[in-house]
Short mmCIF file of all heavy atoms in Angstrom, two decimals:
data_model
loop_
_atom_site.label_atom_id
_atom_site.label_comp_id
_atom_site.label_asym_id
_atom_site.label_seq_id
_atom_site.Cartn_x
_atom_site.Cartn_y
_atom_site.Cartn_z
N ALA A 21 187.70 160.26 32.72
CA ALA A 21 186.42 160.71 33.23
C ALA A 21 185.34 159.64 33.02
O ALA A 21 184.48 159.46 33.86
CB ALA A 21 186.01 162.01 32.57
N SER A 22 185.44 158.94 31.89
CA SER A 22 184.44 157.92 31.59
C SER A 22 184.54 156.73 32.56
O SER A 22 183.53 156.17 32.96
CB SER A 22 184.63 157.43 30.16
OG SER A 22 183.73 156.39 29.88
N LYS A 23 185.78 156.38 32.92
CA LYS A 23 185.98 155.28 33.88
C LYS A 23 185.41 155.63 35.25
O LYS A 23 184.78 154.81 35.91
CB LYS A 23 187.48 154.99 34.03
CG LYS A 23 187.89 153.66 33.56
CD LYS A 23 189.34 153.43 33.82
CE LYS A 23 189.75 152.14 33.13
NZ LYS A 23 191.13 151.83 33.32
N LYS A 24 185.62 156.88 35.65
CA LYS A 24 185.12 157.33 36.95
C LYS A 24 183.59 157.29 36.97
O LYS A 24 182.97 156.87 37.94
CB LYS A 24 185.63 158.74 37.24
CG LYS A 24 185.35 159.23 38.63
CD LYS A 24 185.98 160.59 38.85
CE LYS A 24 185.72 161.06 40.27
NZ LYS A 24 186.33 162.35 40.52
N PHE A 25 182.98 157.75 35.86
CA PHE A 25 181.52 157.75 35.76
C PHE A 25 180.97 156.33 35.81
O PHE A 25 180.00 156.05 36.52
CB PHE A 25 181.07 158.43 34.47
CG PHE A 25 179.59 158.35 34.24
CD1 PHE A 25 178.72 159.13 34.97
CD2 PHE A 25 179.07 157.47 33.30
CE1 PHE A 25 177.34 159.05 34.78
CE2 PHE A 25 177.71 157.37 33.10
CZ PHE A 25 176.85 158.17 33.84
N SER A 26 181.60 155.40 35.08
CA SER A 26 181.09 154.02 35.06
C SER A 26 181.25 153.36 36.42
O SER A 26 180.39 152.58 36.84
CB SER A 26 181.77 153.21 33.96
OG SER A 26 183.16 153.15 34.18
N LYS A 27 182.34 153.66 37.16
CA LYS A 27 182.51 153.12 38.50
C LYS A 27 181.42 153.64 39.43
O LYS A 27 180.88 152.89 40.25
CB LYS A 27 183.89 153.47 39.06
CG LYS A 27 184.99 152.61 38.52
CD LYS A 27 186.31 152.93 39.21
CE LYS A 27 187.41 152.04 38.67
NZ LYS A 27 188.69 152.29 39.36
N ARG A 28 181.10 154.93 39.33
CA ARG A 28 180.05 155.51 40.17
C ARG A 28 178.69 154.90 39.81
O ARG A 28 177.87 154.64 40.70
CB ARG A 28 180.00 157.03 40.00
CG ARG A 28 181.05 157.73 40.81
CD ARG A 28 180.95 159.23 40.81
NE ARG A 28 179.62 159.74 40.56
CZ ARG A 28 179.37 160.97 40.19
NH1 ARG A 28 180.36 161.84 40.05
NH2 ARG A 28 178.14 161.37 39.97
N LEU A 29 178.47 154.70 38.52
CA LEU A 29 177.20 154.11 38.08
C LEU A 29 177.03 152.69 38.63
O LEU A 29 175.98 152.34 39.15
CB LEU A 29 177.14 154.10 36.55
CG LEU A 29 175.84 153.60 35.93
CD1 LEU A 29 174.69 154.49 36.32
CD2 LEU A 29 175.97 153.56 34.42
N VAL A 30 178.08 151.88 38.54
CA VAL A 30 178.03 150.52 39.07
C VAL A 30 177.85 150.54 40.59
O VAL A 30 177.06 149.77 41.14
CB VAL A 30 179.31 149.74 38.67
CG1 VAL A 30 179.41 148.43 39.44
CG2 VAL A 30 179.34 149.49 37.18
N SER A 31 178.54 151.42 41.25
CA SER A 31 178.41 151.54 42.71
C SER A 31 176.99 151.92 43.12
O SER A 31 176.42 151.34 44.04
CB SER A 31 179.41 152.57 43.25
OG SER A 31 179.22 152.78 44.60
N THR A 32 176.41 152.87 42.41
CA THR A 32 175.04 153.31 42.70
C THR A 32 174.05 152.17 42.44
O THR A 32 173.14 151.94 43.24
CB THR A 32 174.67 154.53 41.84
OG1 THR A 32 175.60 155.57 42.12
CG2 THR A 32 173.28 155.02 42.13
N ALA A 33 174.24 151.44 41.34
CA ALA A 33 173.34 150.32 41.03
C ALA A 33 173.43 149.25 42.12
O ALA A 33 172.41 148.70 42.54
CB ALA A 33 173.71 149.74 39.67
N LYS A 34 174.63 148.95 42.60
CA LYS A 34 174.79 147.96 43.67
C LYS A 34 174.10 148.42 44.95
O LYS A 34 173.46 147.62 45.65
CB LYS A 34 176.27 147.71 43.94
CG LYS A 34 176.93 146.86 42.90
CD LYS A 34 178.40 146.61 43.26
CE LYS A 34 179.09 145.79 42.20
NZ LYS A 34 180.50 145.57 42.49
N ASN A 35 174.22 149.71 45.27
CA ASN A 35 173.58 150.24 46.48
C ASN A 35 172.06 150.12 46.38
O ASN A 35 171.40 149.76 47.35
CB ASN A 35 173.98 151.68 46.72
CG ASN A 35 175.42 151.80 47.17
OD1 ASN A 35 176.01 150.84 47.66
ND2 ASN A 35 176.00 152.98 47.01
N ILE A 36 171.51 150.45 45.21
CA ILE A 36 170.06 150.36 45.01
C ILE A 36 169.62 148.90 45.11
O ILE A 36 168.61 148.57 45.74
CB ILE A 36 169.66 150.98 43.66
CG1 ILE A 36 169.86 152.49 43.72
CG2 ILE A 36 168.21 150.64 43.30
CD1 ILE A 36 169.71 153.18 42.38
N TRP A 37 170.38 148.00 44.50
CA TRP A 37 170.07 146.57 44.54
C TRP A 37 170.05 146.07 45.99
O TRP A 37 169.12 145.40 46.41
CB TRP A 37 171.11 145.81 43.72
CG TRP A 37 170.92 144.34 43.71
CD1 TRP A 37 171.57 143.43 44.48
CD2 TRP A 37 170.00 143.58 42.90
NE1 TRP A 37 171.15 142.16 44.20
CE2 TRP A 37 170.19 142.22 43.23
CE3 TRP A 37 169.08 143.92 41.93
CZ2 TRP A 37 169.46 141.21 42.61
CZ3 TRP A 37 168.37 142.91 41.32
CH2 TRP A 37 168.54 141.58 41.66
N ASP A 38 171.09 146.41 46.75
CA ASP A 38 171.17 145.98 48.15
C ASP A 38 170.06 146.59 48.99
O ASP A 38 169.49 145.93 49.86
CB ASP A 38 172.53 146.34 48.74
CG ASP A 38 173.66 145.52 48.13
OD1 ASP A 38 173.37 144.45 47.55
OD2 ASP A 38 174.82 145.96 48.22
N ALA A 39 169.74 147.85 48.75
CA ALA A 39 168.67 148.52 49.50
C ALA A 39 167.33 147.85 49.24
O ALA A 39 166.50 147.75 50.14
CB ALA A 39 168.61 150.00 49.15
N GLY A 40 167.12 147.38 48.02
CA GLY A 40 165.87 146.70 47.70
C GLY A 40 165.70 145.41 48.47
O GLY A 40 164.59 145.01 48.79
N PHE A 41 166.80 144.74 48.77
CA PHE A 41 166.71 143.49 49.53
C PHE A 41 166.60 143.75 51.03
O PHE A 41 166.38 142.81 51.79
CB PHE A 41 167.91 142.59 49.23
CG PHE A 41 167.74 141.81 47.95
CD1 PHE A 41 168.48 142.12 46.83
CD2 PHE A 41 166.82 140.80 47.87
CE1 PHE A 41 168.31 141.42 45.66
CE2 PHE A 41 166.63 140.08 46.71
CZ PHE A 41 167.38 140.40 45.59
N THR A 42 166.74 144.97 51.46
CA THR A 42 166.55 145.27 52.90
C THR A 42 165.11 145.71 53.17
O THR A 42 164.76 145.97 54.31
CB THR A 42 167.52 146.36 53.38
OG1 THR A 42 167.25 147.57 52.68
CG2 THR A 42 168.96 145.94 53.19
N ARG A 43 164.30 145.79 52.12
CA ARG A 43 162.91 146.17 52.28
C ARG A 43 162.01 145.07 51.70
O ARG A 43 162.35 144.46 50.70
CB ARG A 43 162.63 147.49 51.57
CG ARG A 43 163.27 148.67 52.26
CD ARG A 43 163.10 149.94 51.46
NE ARG A 43 163.66 151.08 52.12
CZ ARG A 43 164.95 151.38 52.15
NH1 ARG A 43 165.82 150.62 51.54
NH2 ARG A 43 165.39 152.45 52.77
N ASN A 44 160.91 144.83 52.34
CA ASN A 44 159.95 143.82 51.88
C ASN A 44 158.60 144.44 51.59
O ASN A 44 158.17 145.36 52.29
CB ASN A 44 159.73 142.75 52.96
CG ASN A 44 160.85 141.74 53.01
OD1 ASN A 44 161.66 141.66 52.10
ND2 ASN A 44 160.87 140.95 54.05
N LEU A 45 157.95 143.93 50.56
CA LEU A 45 156.56 144.27 50.30
C LEU A 45 155.74 143.22 51.05
O LEU A 45 155.89 142.02 50.83
CB LEU A 45 156.23 144.21 48.82
CG LEU A 45 154.77 144.49 48.50
CD1 LEU A 45 154.47 145.97 48.65
CD2 LEU A 45 154.40 144.00 47.14
N LEU A 46 154.89 143.69 51.96
CA LEU A 46 154.06 142.80 52.75
C LEU A 46 152.61 142.92 52.30
O LEU A 46 152.12 144.02 52.09
CB LEU A 46 154.15 143.13 54.23
CG LEU A 46 155.52 143.03 54.87
CD1 LEU A 46 155.45 143.52 56.31
CD2 LEU A 46 156.03 141.62 54.83
N VAL A 47 151.95 141.78 52.19
CA VAL A 47 150.51 141.76 51.94
C VAL A 47 149.89 141.23 53.22
O VAL A 47 150.22 140.13 53.67
CB VAL A 47 150.17 140.85 50.74
CG1 VAL A 47 148.67 140.83 50.51
CG2 VAL A 47 150.90 141.30 49.49
N LYS A 48 149.01 142.04 53.80
CA LYS A 48 148.36 141.65 55.05
C LYS A 48 146.86 141.64 54.86
O LYS A 48 146.31 142.44 54.09
CB LYS A 48 148.72 142.63 56.17
CG LYS A 48 150.18 142.65 56.51
CD LYS A 48 150.46 143.63 57.64
CE LYS A 48 151.93 143.66 57.99
NZ LYS A 48 152.20 144.57 59.10
N ASP A 49 146.18 140.75 55.60
CA ASP A 49 144.72 140.73 55.53
C ASP A 49 144.15 141.79 56.50
O ASP A 49 144.89 142.52 57.13
CB ASP A 49 144.17 139.33 55.81
CG ASP A 49 144.52 138.81 57.19
OD1 ASP A 49 145.00 139.59 58.02
OD2 ASP A 49 144.31 137.61 57.43
N GLN A 50 142.83 141.83 56.57
CA GLN A 50 142.18 142.87 57.38
C GLN A 50 142.54 142.79 58.86
O GLN A 50 142.57 143.80 59.54
CB GLN A 50 140.66 142.77 57.24
CG GLN A 50 140.17 143.23 55.90
CD GLN A 50 138.67 143.09 55.78
OE1 GLN A 50 138.06 142.20 56.36
NE2 GLN A 50 138.06 143.98 55.01
N SER A 51 142.84 141.61 59.35
CA SER A 51 143.20 141.49 60.76
C SER A 51 144.68 141.76 61.02
O SER A 51 145.13 141.70 62.16
CB SER A 51 142.81 140.09 61.28
OG SER A 51 143.54 139.11 60.59
N GLY A 52 145.43 142.03 59.97
CA GLY A 52 146.85 142.35 60.12
C GLY A 52 147.79 141.17 60.02
O GLY A 52 148.98 141.31 60.21
N ASP A 53 147.24 139.99 59.71
CA ASP A 53 148.08 138.80 59.55
C ASP A 53 148.81 138.86 58.21
O ASP A 53 148.21 139.19 57.18
CB ASP A 53 147.25 137.51 59.62
CG ASP A 53 146.63 137.30 60.99
OD1 ASP A 53 147.24 137.74 61.98
OD2 ASP A 53 145.54 136.70 61.05
N LYS A 54 150.08 138.51 58.23
CA LYS A 54 150.89 138.55 57.02
C LYS A 54 150.52 137.39 56.10
O LYS A 54 150.52 136.23 56.52
CB LYS A 54 152.37 138.49 57.39
CG LYS A 54 153.28 138.69 56.23
CD LYS A 54 154.78 138.67 56.50
CE LYS A 54 155.22 138.47 57.89
NZ LYS A 54 156.67 138.33 58.04
N ILE A 55 150.21 137.70 54.85
CA ILE A 55 149.87 136.68 53.86
C ILE A 55 151.08 136.39 52.97
O ILE A 55 151.37 135.25 52.65
CB ILE A 55 148.68 137.14 52.98
CG1 ILE A 55 147.45 137.34 53.83
CG2 ILE A 55 148.43 136.15 51.86
CD1 ILE A 55 146.29 137.96 53.10
N LEU A 56 151.80 137.44 52.60
CA LEU A 56 152.91 137.30 51.67
C LEU A 56 153.96 138.34 51.99
O LEU A 56 153.63 139.48 52.33
CB LEU A 56 152.41 137.48 50.23
CG LEU A 56 153.42 137.39 49.10
CD1 LEU A 56 153.97 135.97 49.00
CD2 LEU A 56 152.77 137.79 47.79
N SER A 57 155.22 137.96 51.86
CA SER A 57 156.33 138.88 52.07
C SER A 57 157.37 138.60 50.99
O SER A 57 157.85 137.48 50.86
CB SER A 57 156.94 138.67 53.46
OG SER A 57 158.08 139.49 53.61
N LEU A 58 157.67 139.65 50.19
CA LEU A 58 158.65 139.50 49.11
C LEU A 58 159.65 140.65 49.17
O LEU A 58 159.27 141.79 49.46
CB LEU A 58 157.97 139.54 47.74
CG LEU A 58 157.05 138.39 47.40
CD1 LEU A 58 156.27 138.71 46.13
CD2 LEU A 58 157.85 137.12 47.21
N PRO A 59 160.92 140.38 48.85
CA PRO A 59 161.88 141.49 48.76
C PRO A 59 161.44 142.49 47.69
O PRO A 59 160.94 142.10 46.63
CB PRO A 59 163.19 140.82 48.36
CG PRO A 59 163.02 139.38 48.73
CD PRO A 59 161.55 139.10 48.61
N LEU A 60 161.60 143.76 47.99
CA LEU A 60 161.13 144.81 47.08
C LEU A 60 161.81 144.72 45.72
O LEU A 60 161.19 144.99 44.70
CB LEU A 60 161.38 146.18 47.71
CG LEU A 60 160.65 147.35 47.10
CD1 LEU A 60 159.15 147.12 47.05
CD2 LEU A 60 160.95 148.63 47.88
N THR A 61 163.07 144.31 45.68
CA THR A 61 163.78 144.18 44.41
C THR A 61 163.08 143.15 43.51
O THR A 61 162.90 143.39 42.32
CB THR A 61 165.24 143.76 44.64
OG1 THR A 61 165.86 144.73 45.47
CG2 THR A 61 166.00 143.63 43.35
N ILE A 62 162.67 142.04 44.09
CA ILE A 62 161.98 140.99 43.32
C ILE A 62 160.64 141.52 42.79
O ILE A 62 160.26 141.24 41.65
CB ILE A 62 161.77 139.73 44.17
CG1 ILE A 62 163.11 139.18 44.64
CG2 ILE A 62 160.96 138.69 43.44
CD1 ILE A 62 164.06 138.78 43.54
N VAL A 63 159.94 142.28 43.60
CA VAL A 63 158.65 142.85 43.19
C VAL A 63 158.84 143.79 42.00
O VAL A 63 158.08 143.74 41.03
CB VAL A 63 157.98 143.59 44.37
CG1 VAL A 63 156.74 144.32 43.91
CG2 VAL A 63 157.65 142.60 45.48
N VAL A 64 159.86 144.64 42.07
CA VAL A 64 160.12 145.59 40.98
C VAL A 64 160.50 144.85 39.70
O VAL A 64 159.99 145.16 38.62
CB VAL A 64 161.21 146.61 41.38
CG1 VAL A 64 161.64 147.45 40.20
CG2 VAL A 64 160.71 147.50 42.51
N ILE A 65 161.38 143.88 39.81
CA ILE A 65 161.80 143.11 38.62
C ILE A 65 160.59 142.38 38.02
O ILE A 65 160.39 142.41 36.81
CB ILE A 65 162.91 142.11 38.98
CG1 ILE A 65 164.20 142.86 39.29
CG2 ILE A 65 163.14 141.11 37.85
CD1 ILE A 65 165.30 142.00 39.85
N GLY A 66 159.77 141.77 38.85
CA GLY A 66 158.58 141.09 38.37
C GLY A 66 157.60 142.04 37.71
O GLY A 66 156.98 141.71 36.70
N SER A 67 157.48 143.24 38.26
CA SER A 67 156.55 144.23 37.69
C SER A 67 157.04 144.72 36.32
O SER A 67 156.23 144.99 35.44
CB SER A 67 156.42 145.44 38.62
OG SER A 67 155.88 145.03 39.83
N VAL A 68 158.34 144.80 36.15
CA VAL A 68 158.90 145.23 34.87
C VAL A 68 158.78 144.11 33.83
O VAL A 68 158.44 144.37 32.68
CB VAL A 68 160.39 145.66 35.04
CG1 VAL A 68 161.06 145.85 33.70
CG2 VAL A 68 160.47 146.92 35.87
N LEU A 69 159.03 142.88 34.25
CA LEU A 69 159.01 141.76 33.31
C LEU A 69 157.60 141.29 32.97
O LEU A 69 157.37 140.79 31.87
CB LEU A 69 159.82 140.59 33.87
CG LEU A 69 161.32 140.83 34.02
CD1 LEU A 69 161.99 139.61 34.63
CD2 LEU A 69 161.95 141.17 32.69
N ALA A 70 156.66 141.44 33.89
CA ALA A 70 155.30 140.96 33.67
C ALA A 70 154.28 141.95 34.22
O ALA A 70 153.59 141.68 35.20
CB ALA A 70 155.12 139.60 34.31
N PRO A 71 154.17 143.12 33.59
CA PRO A 71 153.24 144.16 34.10
C PRO A 71 151.79 143.71 34.23
O PRO A 71 151.16 144.04 35.23
CB PRO A 71 153.37 145.31 33.10
CG PRO A 71 154.58 145.04 32.32
CD PRO A 71 154.89 143.58 32.42
N PRO A 72 151.24 142.94 33.28
CA PRO A 72 149.84 142.53 33.46
C PRO A 72 149.62 141.68 34.72
O PRO A 72 148.62 141.84 35.41
CB PRO A 72 149.52 141.71 32.21
CG PRO A 72 150.52 142.15 31.20
CD PRO A 72 151.75 142.51 31.98
N VAL A 73 150.57 140.82 35.03
CA VAL A 73 150.45 139.98 36.21
C VAL A 73 150.50 140.85 37.48
O VAL A 73 149.75 140.64 38.43
CB VAL A 73 151.55 138.91 36.24
CG1 VAL A 73 151.52 138.11 37.53
CG2 VAL A 73 151.43 137.99 35.04
N ALA A 74 151.38 141.86 37.46
CA ALA A 74 151.49 142.75 38.61
C ALA A 74 150.20 143.53 38.83
O ALA A 74 149.74 143.69 39.97
CB ALA A 74 152.66 143.72 38.41
N VAL A 75 149.60 144.00 37.76
CA VAL A 75 148.34 144.76 37.87
C VAL A 75 147.22 143.86 38.37
O VAL A 75 146.45 144.26 39.25
CB VAL A 75 147.98 145.41 36.51
CG1 VAL A 75 146.59 145.99 36.53
CG2 VAL A 75 149.00 146.47 36.14
N ILE A 76 147.14 142.67 37.85
CA ILE A 76 146.10 141.73 38.30
C ILE A 76 146.28 141.42 39.78
O ILE A 76 145.32 141.43 40.55
CB ILE A 76 146.12 140.44 37.45
CG1 ILE A 76 145.63 140.75 36.04
CG2 ILE A 76 145.25 139.36 38.09
CD1 ILE A 76 145.86 139.63 35.04
N GLY A 77 147.53 141.16 40.20
CA GLY A 77 147.80 140.87 41.61
C GLY A 77 147.43 142.03 42.51
O GLY A 77 146.88 141.83 43.60
N PHE A 78 147.72 143.25 42.05
CA PHE A 78 147.37 144.44 42.83
C PHE A 78 145.86 144.54 43.02
O PHE A 78 145.38 144.76 44.13
CB PHE A 78 147.92 145.68 42.12
CG PHE A 78 147.53 146.97 42.77
CD1 PHE A 78 148.14 147.38 43.94
CD2 PHE A 78 146.56 147.78 42.21
CE1 PHE A 78 147.78 148.58 44.55
CE2 PHE A 78 146.19 148.97 42.80
CZ PHE A 78 146.80 149.37 43.97
N PHE A 79 145.10 144.36 41.95
CA PHE A 79 143.64 144.48 42.06
C PHE A 79 143.03 143.34 42.86
O PHE A 79 142.06 143.55 43.60
CB PHE A 79 142.99 144.59 40.67
CG PHE A 79 143.12 145.96 40.09
CD1 PHE A 79 143.89 146.18 38.95
CD2 PHE A 79 142.52 147.07 40.69
CE1 PHE A 79 144.03 147.45 38.43
CE2 PHE A 79 142.65 148.33 40.17
CZ PHE A 79 143.41 148.53 39.03
N VAL A 80 143.59 142.14 42.77
CA VAL A 80 143.09 141.03 43.58
C VAL A 80 143.30 141.35 45.06
O VAL A 80 142.42 141.11 45.89
CB VAL A 80 143.80 139.70 43.19
CG1 VAL A 80 143.55 138.63 44.21
CG2 VAL A 80 143.33 139.26 41.80
N ALA A 81 144.48 141.90 45.40
CA ALA A 81 144.75 142.26 46.79
C ALA A 81 143.76 143.33 47.27
O ALA A 81 143.26 143.26 48.39
CB ALA A 81 146.18 142.77 46.94
N LEU A 82 143.44 144.30 46.42
CA LEU A 82 142.48 145.34 46.80
C LEU A 82 141.07 144.77 46.95
O LEU A 82 140.36 145.11 47.90
CB LEU A 82 142.48 146.47 45.78
CG LEU A 82 143.70 147.38 45.79
CD1 LEU A 82 143.57 148.44 44.69
CD2 LEU A 82 143.87 148.06 47.13
N LEU A 83 140.67 143.92 46.03
CA LEU A 83 139.32 143.34 46.10
C LEU A 83 139.18 142.42 47.32
O LEU A 83 138.08 142.29 47.86
CB LEU A 83 139.00 142.58 44.82
CG LEU A 83 138.81 143.45 43.58
CD1 LEU A 83 138.66 142.57 42.33
CD2 LEU A 83 137.60 144.35 43.73
N ALA A 84 140.27 141.82 47.74
CA ALA A 84 140.23 140.94 48.92
C ALA A 84 140.41 141.75 50.21
O ALA A 84 140.51 141.16 51.28
CB ALA A 84 141.32 139.88 48.81
N HIS A 85 140.44 143.07 50.09
CA HIS A 85 140.58 143.98 51.22
C HIS A 85 141.90 143.74 51.98
O HIS A 85 141.93 143.77 53.21
CB HIS A 85 139.39 143.89 52.18
CG HIS A 85 138.10 144.21 51.51
ND1 HIS A 85 137.75 145.48 51.15
CD2 HIS A 85 137.08 143.40 51.13
CE1 HIS A 85 136.57 145.45 50.57
NE2 HIS A 85 136.13 144.21 50.54
N CYS A 86 142.94 143.50 51.22
CA CYS A 86 144.27 143.33 51.81
C CYS A 86 145.01 144.67 51.82
O CYS A 86 144.65 145.58 51.07
CB CYS A 86 145.09 142.32 51.02
SG CYS A 86 144.45 140.65 51.13
N PHE A 87 146.01 144.76 52.64
CA PHE A 87 146.83 145.97 52.73
C PHE A 87 148.22 145.66 52.19
O PHE A 87 148.79 144.61 52.47
CB PHE A 87 146.95 146.44 54.17
CG PHE A 87 145.63 146.79 54.79
CD1 PHE A 87 144.95 145.88 55.59
CD2 PHE A 87 145.06 148.03 54.58
CE1 PHE A 87 143.74 146.20 56.15
CE2 PHE A 87 143.83 148.36 55.13
CZ PHE A 87 143.17 147.44 55.92
N LEU A 88 148.76 146.58 51.39
CA LEU A 88 150.12 146.45 50.88
C LEU A 88 150.98 147.47 51.63
O LEU A 88 150.67 148.65 51.66
CB LEU A 88 150.16 146.75 49.38
CG LEU A 88 149.26 145.88 48.49
CD1 LEU A 88 149.32 146.37 47.05
CD2 LEU A 88 149.68 144.44 48.58
N THR A 89 152.05 146.98 52.23
CA THR A 89 152.96 147.86 52.95
C THR A 89 154.39 147.49 52.60
O THR A 89 154.68 146.37 52.21
CB THR A 89 152.77 147.76 54.47
OG1 THR A 89 153.02 146.42 54.88
CG2 THR A 89 151.39 148.17 54.90
N VAL A 90 155.27 148.46 52.75
CA VAL A 90 156.71 148.22 52.58
C VAL A 90 157.36 148.41 53.93
O VAL A 90 157.17 149.43 54.58
CB VAL A 90 157.32 149.20 51.54
CG1 VAL A 90 158.82 148.99 51.44
CG2 VAL A 90 156.65 149.01 50.18
N GLU A 91 158.10 147.39 54.37
CA GLU A 91 158.77 147.45 55.67
C GLU A 91 160.24 147.18 55.49
O GLU A 91 160.65 146.41 54.62
CB GLU A 91 158.18 146.42 56.64
CG GLU A 91 156.81 146.77 57.12
CD GLU A 91 156.33 145.81 58.19
OE1 GLU A 91 157.00 144.81 58.48
OE2 GLU A 91 155.25 146.07 58.72
N LYS A 92 161.02 147.83 56.32
CA LYS A 92 162.46 147.61 56.32
C LYS A 92 162.76 146.42 57.21
O LYS A 92 162.17 146.27 58.27
CB LYS A 92 163.16 148.86 56.84
CG LYS A 92 164.59 148.96 56.44
CD LYS A 92 165.12 150.32 56.77
CE LYS A 92 166.51 150.46 56.16
NZ LYS A 92 167.07 151.75 56.37
N LYS A 93 163.67 145.54 56.79
CA LYS A 93 164.03 144.35 57.57
C LYS A 93 164.78 144.74 58.82
O LYS A 93 165.46 145.67 58.91
CB LYS A 93 164.91 143.43 56.76
CG LYS A 93 164.16 142.69 55.69
CD LYS A 93 165.10 141.74 55.01
CE LYS A 93 164.43 141.06 53.85
NZ LYS A 93 165.31 140.17 53.14
#
């Protein structure tokens, strides 16, 4: 039973990892021009490893009147 559970866990983790690379976090300016595009998985990993940097980046984007969107590739 433990082997079956660990195989399912690894399979689920791989699916989540792959799904994160099929979605991008886009930063767009007021006119809708794309400023930055990053895979969602990279954004999540960066947010976990460096939360203060993520918070500062979020507020800078808001103060610059940018829009944050998630799009599927």
Side-chain angles (χ1 to χ4, degrees):
S22 177
K23 245 183 188 180
K24 188 176 181 179
F25 174 75
S26 60
K27 282 185 179 183
R28 280 187 25 198
L29 183 62
V30 168
S31 174
T32 302
K34 284 181 182 179
N35 289 340
I36 291 171
W37 179 262
D38 292 340
F41 279 109
T42 62
R43 289 174 178 79
N44 280 347
L45 177 75
L46 299 175
V47 180
K48 296 181 180 182
D49 61 12
Q50 288 179 329
S51 62
D53 294 329
K54 187 180 359 175
I55 298 172
L56 179 67
S57 175
L58 293 170
L60 195 55
T61 302
I62 300 300
V63 173
V64 171
I65 290 171
S67 298
V68 169
L69 295 178
V73 175
V75 170
I76 291 168
F78 175 75
F79 282 114
V80 167
L82 287 178
L83 290 173
H85 301 287
C86 293
F87 298 97
L88 302 175
T89 60
V90 176
E91 288 186 354
K92 201 169 189 177
K93 287 184 184 177

